[in-house]
Amino acid sequence: MKEHLMIAESLETQPRSQVPLWTIFTSFLIVGLTAFGMAILQKLKALVLAQRWLSEEEMNDGLAMVQLYPGPIMVDFTAYIGYVLRGVPGALLAAAGFCLPSFILMLILSALYFAAGNLPWVHPLFQGLEALVVGVILNVTLDMGSRAIQGKIEAVITLLAFGGLLLKFDAVLTILMALALGAAFIHPASSKGTPAPQASNPTPASISIRRGLAISVVIIIILGVVALAISLDSEIGHLGLSLFKIGAVAFGNGTTIIPLLQSEVVEKHHWMNLNQFADGVALGQITPGPFLITSTFIGYKIGRIGGALLATFAIFSPSFAMTLIFTEVFARLRNLKIVRGALAGVLAAFTGMLAAALLQIGTVALTVPVAFVLAGAAFLAVRYFKLDILWVFVGGLSIWEGLLALGLV
C-alpha cells in the first residue's frame, strides 16, 4: 500500500503522457486481483482519483459512454481509462492487467473442476460473497446517486430505469430512452473547478494519426483471429465465433450477457450441460475481476488452454475495439451541451439500474439474519471506515467460513 501511495504522490502533477505504461499495467493488475463483482466500480474509481489520472467528471463521462455500445461495462471502462492516459498501449495494458489475474485463476480452477467433476464448496461460499457484495454495491449506488441525480429529470430517468430493470424491460432500449431524454431535457451547466491535466487541451494531429493507425492495427488483429476461428472449422473455432458474436452485440454487464452464453453453449451447441455451466458462472463470481471470465471456463472445457485463450479473447475484444473508437470520437464531442445532457441521462439510468440490481441481489443473498449483518458490516467498513475492498472481502469471507464451520448459517 505504501508503494501505491508513493506512486500517487509522484503523479500528482505529472502529465498524462508521462504516466508509465508499467504503472498502468500494475495498477489495474492489483484491481483485477482484489476487486469482485460490482465492487470493481468503486475500486476503479478509487484508484484513478487517488492517482489523479482523470477528473470525477471524466470518470462519469467514461462510465456513461461505455454503456452506449455492446460489451462488458467494467472491462470497457478500464480500456477507456487506459486510452485516455496513453492511447492504445495504455488501453491494452489496462485491460490486460485487469483481466490477467482472473484468467489465470479461472484456468487453474477449470483444470481442478474438470479433474474432480464437481464443486461442493462453491454454493455456501457464494452466499457469503453475495452478502458482502450487497453492502459494497449499496455504497457505490449512494455515491453514484449523489452525483447523477442533480434535478427532477435525472430523478425521473433513475426511477424509470429502476422500474424497467425490475420489469425486465430491454436494457438497450432503457439506455437509448435515457440518452434521448437527457439530450432533450437536461442542460448541465459548464463544469467548474480545475480540470484534470490536459483535459481541455486538443490532441495534436500527429498523435491523432498515430492513434488512428494503432486502432486500425487492433481491428485488423481481431479480424485476423476471427478468420482463424473460421478456418479451424472445429468446435474450438465455432466456440470462438459464437463468443465473438455475443461480445459484439450483447449490452450490459455479466448478468445480462450470461443468458446469451447459456443459450449458445448449453442449448444450441451442447458444449456443456446446465450444471457445468452453472458451476462456471459461480466460479466467475467468486474469482476477482470481470464476471465474464466464465468464458475462460467454457473455452477450457472445449479446448484446454488454447480454447480458453480464444474464448477469452473473443468475448472481450469486440467491445475493446469499440471503446477505442468511441473514446476518440467522444473526445471531440464531449463538451457539446446536447452530448453532456445525453450522458447525464445515461448516468442517471445507470444509477437506477444499479439500484435495481442491488435489490435483486439482496433478495437472493440476504435470506438469513447473519447475511444482513454481514452486508451491513461491509457497507459500514467501506463507507465510514474507508477500508480497502480487499480486506472487506477477506475478513468477511473468513467470518462467513467460520460461521459455516460452526453450523450457525
Side-chain angles (χ1 to χ4, degrees), residues 42-304:
Q42 176 163 318
K43 193 79 173 181
L44 286 173
K45 295 187 77 171
L47 166 70
V48 175
L49 294 176
Q51 302 278 32
R52 302 186 183 227
W53 285 343
L54 276 69
S55 66
E56 182 79 34
E57 181 183 12
E58 287 175 303
M59 290 280 286
N60 288 336
D61 285 348
L63 186 58
M65 185 197 78
V66 296
Q67 295 174 76
L68 302 178
Y69 51 90
I73 292 172
M74 290 298 106
V75 176
D76 295 340
F77 191 39
T78 62
Y80 162 81
I81 296 167
Y83 188 81
V84 172
L85 291 175
R86 290 294 303 271
V88 173
L92 284 168
L93 289 174
F98 178 58
C99 295
L100 185 60
S102 58
F103 174 76
I104 294 174
L105 284 171
M106 184 60 84
L107 271 183
I108 296 170
L109 291 172
S110 298
L112 292 173
Y113 174 85
F114 289 110
N118 57 61
L119 292 170
W121 51 270
V122 166
H123 300 294
L125 181 66
F126 185 41
Q127 289 177 328
L129 181 65
E130 283 181 335
L132 293 169
V133 167
V134 167
V136 173
I137 295 178
L138 176 59
N139 180 62
V140 175
T141 304
L142 292 176
D143 281 344
M144 291 293 299
S146 66
R147 296 183 177 94
I149 306 173
Q150 299 293 322
K152 293 180 180 179
I153 300 299
E154 291 95 326
V156 169
I157 293 174
T158 300
L159 290 173
L160 288 174
F162 176 81
L165 189 62
L166 292 180
L167 296 173
K168 302 188 182 303
F169 190 70
D170 188 272
V172 178
L173 291 179
T174 299
I175 293 297
L176 292 176
M177 288 173 59
L179 186 77
L181 289 172
F185 299 109
I186 300 177
H187 307 290
S190 300
S191 58
K192 298 178 182 179
T194 304
Q198 300 183 2
S200 60
N201 295 338
T203 305
S206 59
I207 295 179
S208 293
I209 293 173
R210 287 201 300 270
R211 288 190 171 187
L213 290 174
I215 292 172
S216 299
V217 170
V218 169
I219 294 172
I220 290 171
I221 291 173
I222 294 173
L223 292 176
V225 177
V226 172
L228 174 63
I230 294 172
S231 68
L232 291 175
D233 193 22
S234 63
E235 283 193 336
I236 296 177
H238 295 155
L239 173 65
L241 291 176
S242 292
L243 297 190
F244 272 119
K245 177 181 67 177
I246 292 172
V249 302
F251 280 77
N253 54 31
T255 56
T256 59
I257 298 175
I258 283 296
L260 297 178
L261 274 178
Q262 179 181 327
S263 175
E264 286 285 317
V265 172
V266 178
E267 298 168 12
K268 183 177 180 180
H269 294 287
H270 307 290
W271 285 318
M272 56 177 52
N273 61 44
L274 188 57
N275 287 338
Q276 290 173 328
F277 182 78
D279 286 340
V281 171
L283 285 176
Q285 295 195 6
I286 67 169
T287 50
F291 182 24
L292 283 179
I293 205 65
T294 295
S295 60
T296 303
F297 177 84
I298 299 169
Y300 188 89
K301 167 68 164 56
I302 303 300
R304 296 299 186 258

